[in-house]
Structures are given as C-alpha cells and as structure tokens.
Amino acid sequence: MQTYAEVLTYAIPFFMVLILIEFGISRTIGVSVVRSFDTVSSLSSGLTNSLKEVLGLAVVIISYGWMAEHLSLFQIESKVWLYVLTFIGLDFAGYWAHRFEHKINILWNRHIIHHSSEEFNLACALRQNVSAVFGVFFFLLIPLAIIGVPAEVIAVVAPLHLFAQFWYHTRLIDMSVLEFIIVTPSHHRVHHAINDIYMDRNFGQVFILWDKWFGSFQEELKEEVPVYGVKRQANTWNPFLINFQHLWILMKDAWNTKSWSDKLKVFIKPTGWRPADREIADPIPYTEIAEDQVKYETEGTLLMHIWIWIQMVITLVLMLYMFQSISDFSFLFIALYGIFLAISIFSYTSLMDQSKLSIPFEIFKIILGLGLINQLGDWYGIDEIIPFGTALIVIYFIISLSFHIYFLNENKELEPNLVN
C-alpha cells in the first residue's frame, strides 16, 4: 500500500503536466480535444481508482505470488531478458483480459468507465474503474508462474506496463513506422470509437501484434472519423454512477425477466444482450448510428466551472497528502480519509450534473471531516506543516457547502444539455 502510494505521488503530477501540455498544444493548433466537465470527470475517475488501489479495496482470488510458489517448474534469476519476457507476457495476458471485458456482459462493467468519455484525450486515459472488486484474470498469468517468473519481477514490470498505456490516448499524434509493432494513438482512437466498423477492435495494450495475429485489428480510416463514447451513453459526470450503471441494468434485467434461464444468461451473454421481455418492458436508448451521437453536457457559469476545477485540485492535493501520511496513521483513519475523499468526489461531480444529491453528500463530507478532526486533534498532522492548516480545512468546508447551495439554486431551472 505505502509503496504504491509513493509511486502515485510522483506519477499523478507527471500525468497532470502531460495533460496540460496536450491542452496547450491543442489550443495553439486550434483543435478542440477537451471539454471542462468531461475532463474533470475523467480526472476524478482517476482519483477514485487511485484511492481504491492504494487502500487495497480489491480481492485477488489467487495471488501471483502463490502461483509462482506452487506452480513454477524452474528457478530463474532476475536478468534483463527476464524483465523483457515478463513485459511481453503481461501484454499478451492483458490483450485477452481486455478482449474478454469487451465481449462478456458482466465483465464490461469493469471497463465501461474507461470508454464513457465522449472525448478522446490524455485525461480520458485516467478513467479507470472502482467496480472491479475481484481479480478474475489471474489464470492468464499461469504461464508466467509455471516458467518461474518471480513475483518481485511482476511487481516491477506491472506498473511500467500500466503507465505505458497512457500516452496514446490523444488525437494530436499520428505515427507511421511504429504502427506495425506497438499500439499508437491511431490504433487506440479506433478502439475508443463507437462507429460500427471500429467497434470491439484493437484490444492491444502495448503491442498491436496480438490484434493482427488474432483477427481483431482495424486501421483508422480517413473517411470514417471516430466518434467516441459508449452506445448507451452514461449521461452523468459522476464516476461512481458510471462505474455501476451497466451492472445495475444487468441486475434489474435478471430480477425482472420472466425467463429463469435469462436470469443467468444476462450476465454471461455478449455485451449489450438483454432478455427479450426486458427490451420491450424497459427499452434503453442507445446510439445506433455513430454520427447521430449527441454529447452529454450540462450548463454552468464560468464561476461554477472555476469552482469545480478548484474542488478537483483541492481533492487531488488532499489525496497526495494522504499518500504521504499513510505510514503515520492506523489503517482505520487512512480508510476514513479515503471515504472522505470519495464523498467529496461524489459531491462535486453530482453538482456538475446539477443533482440535488450534491448537498447531502457535501453535508456528510463535512460531518465526517469534523469528526476526524475531533478524533485526531487536527487534520492528520497538517498543523505541523502549515500553521493553522486545520482552520483552513474547516473554512474550506464552509465555503464548499455555500458554493454548492448557491450553484444548485442558480441552476435549478436548467436541464442537462446534449450537444453535437
């Protein structure tokens, strides 16, 4: 937990700098690649995923360490070539895990958040899940365990493999020579598109060779401009709601369908499948023709946009502070800190949706925050670093609730907009 938190302390600011660079270049060349609330939603999703990973809120059915100990047939020393082999092995396993997530209804819930943005930029790369509670793809790493790849090698290579998937989430880069070997922005633009010709293509994470070998490759066509998002639009900026929307549909269908066999099939059928009686009784709108997509957008004054960005930055700073404080407090208090941050994210992203849920969650955040200050004497030792730091936290609570009430009252006559 502490080691991963230390890695994220450096990785997150690095990613933020690259996102700012992409935004600056896009403005310079006159290509629009970001929308304010969409970007905040993407970044906030990344924060929720970071919280989940650091707090260890996932259950690994069988750990790689256990498999390496019990299944290995050989003992291999940690050489450079072993790290390269492991990287390739992880990428091969990642290709199939990614493909399964797109093809099986219940597994799509683990991945839908990543595709939910109707833009394609570096920020959307950070749309990662909190819904994948169980690690179900352990069996894909069995070959690495059998040949004796040590667990410590996996621990080093896995984060590098993950971070290597960040850079190609952009519309501003085109490449040629490397497209024969590795995944490029053009390949991944295809993957994120909902155009019929692009759907469920290019599952590769670092190497595009897997797609070419296993029949899932599609090049980007000049005459077919990618349209991004998901067929059943999320229509919310709240990353928690996006994470569980698809699962909620499956559960409702399983509960309400009259067919007992469909109650099971709805989870294991191809992505998007629904029982026939549920299609009739509860139809769900979806984008049939990509070019007809109408993007989700909500109204907001310039002041509201500025405040939402301030909220996101404050939450990010508080999260990085939590990462630095992990070893100084019990797991209970660190977990409560994480819950505080999760409530904060739920609150301000609900405000972006103009949802009344924003106010009770904001109040809950304040109650929890004041309770933590009462128990600890200050805000996790911040007064030792910043004079009157706890007082500043309390002032932030008051200002935050006031702004939420003001903006919801200001926008109460407005409805979410859909923009082309």
Side-chain angles (χ1 to χ4, degrees), residues 299-310:
E299 295 285 351
T301 62
L302 177 60
L303 178 61
M304 180 177 175
H305 279 262
I306 292 173
W307 172 246
I308 291 296
W309 275 94
I310 290 174

Side-chain angles (χ1 to χ4, degrees), residues 7 46 55 117 125 164 168 187 209 251-252 288 300 316 340 353:
V7 171
L55 294 176
S117 174
Y168 51 60
H187 295 149
L209 295 173
M251 293 176 65
K252 286 196 301 180
E288 295 188 54
L316 170 61
F340 168 86
D353 283 332

Side-chain angles (χ1 to χ4, degrees), residues 342-411:
I343 294 170
S344 179
I345 294 169
F346 193 104
S347 176
Y348 72 72
T349 54
S350 294
L351 177 61
M352 290 157 58
D353 283 332
Q354 299 164 14
S355 169
K356 293 180 180 179
L357 285 174
S358 175
I359 299 300
F361 273 84
E362 190 66 17
I363 293 173
F364 186 21
K365 179 184 82 175
I366 293 173
I367 293 173
L368 177 57
L370 293 176
L372 289 170
I373 291 172
N374 180 64
Q375 288 294 313
L376 295 171
D378 69 351
W379 186 260
Y380 288 85
I382 197 171
D383 289 345
E384 299 177 7
I385 303 173
I386 303 174
F388 308 107
T390 301
L392 293 176
I393 294 289
V394 174
I395 292 172
Y396 158 67
F397 290 165
I398 298 171
I399 294 174
S400 181
L401 178 59
S402 301
F403 269 123
H404 276 66
I405 295 172
Y406 169 74
F407 287 127
L408 278 179
N409 183 67
E410 179 185 52
N411 294 335

